[in-house]
Amino acid sequence: PTPKKMGPLMLELGISIHSVVIGLALGLSSEEFTTLFIALCFHQFFEGIGIGNVLAENAKEGASQRVVLFFTLFYGLTTPVGIAIGIAVHQSSYDATGQMLATGVLESISSGILMYMCLVTLMSDACSSKKFMESPKLDKGVAFFALFAGATAMALVGIWA
């Protein structure tokens, strides 16, 4: 595949790995399951919008509908599979310290994957697009402000999750 087609595939792969890992972390959690589940639902919703946008752009550029449908279904199944694995591991052996450590490591890895994929794949494509380059400086400023406001809001939500 061409580099233009590899970008969305790598994004899908990275976000899918991220989704399995956060599902696994959720399945391993015990006391904070409800809070994490609610946060995860919102997180996956907005992540799904982002990945849906990338897939829609790919479809416009000639990707087959079968490929787009496959990746859509694949993304929808990754988190539940991770949760199921996490719950199975949680029920088979319960070591509070080990599971807290595993959850922390898995959440750190998944957040690193997501930040990398967002900044390298999504933001670099968005900021280097012809439409963005030709937009007025005010629009660019508003876009960057919205990006940082969203990151700040997610960081504040992360305090309680």
Side-chain angles (χ1 to χ4, degrees):
T2 63
K4 189 158 180 82
K5 290 183 180 180
M6 282 303 290
L9 293 176
M10 293 305 295
L11 175 69
E12 175 77 27
L13 179 65
I15 289 181
S16 295
I17 292 169
H18 162 78
S19 295
V20 169
V21 171
I22 60 173
L24 190 58
L26 178 66
L28 286 173
S29 66
S30 50
E31 298 89 34
E32 67 277 352
F33 183 87
T34 305
T35 306
L36 285 175
F37 182 73
I38 292 168
L40 185 65
C41 286
F42 282 104
H43 172 83
Q44 290 298 98
F45 174 74
F46 290 111
E47 198 173 87
I49 290 174
I51 213 154
N53 185 38
V54 170
L55 290 173
E57 288 292 322
N58 240 12
K60 261 199 299 189
E61 294 175 5
S64 78
Q65 288 197 349
R66 203 180 300 173
V67 170
V68 172
L69 180 62
F70 170 78
F71 281 119
T72 302
L73 293 173
F74 185 71
Y75 172 75
L77 293 174
T78 53
T79 304
V81 166
I83 293 171
I85 294 169
I87 289 173
V89 169
H90 180 75
Q91 290 180 349
S92 67
S93 65
Y94 185 75
D95 171 24
T97 306
Q99 291 202 350
M100 284 178 53
L101 180 64
T103 301
V105 168
L106 290 172
E107 288 178 357
S108 299
I109 290 170
S110 69
S111 63
I113 290 169
L114 184 64
M115 288 183 357
Y116 176 81
M117 295 311 293
C118 175
L119 294 174
V120 171
T121 305
L122 291 177
M123 292 307 300
S124 65
D125 287 349
C127 292
S128 63
S129 71
K130 185 177 179 181
K131 181 180 178 184
F132 185 80
M133 293 294 216
E134 293 175 352
S135 64
K137 286 185 180 182
L138 180 63
D139 290 353
K140 291 177 188 173
V142 169
F144 282 117
F145 176 77
L147 172 71
F148 291 117
T152 302
M154 290 306 295
L156 291 174
V157 169
I159 291 172
W160 293 282

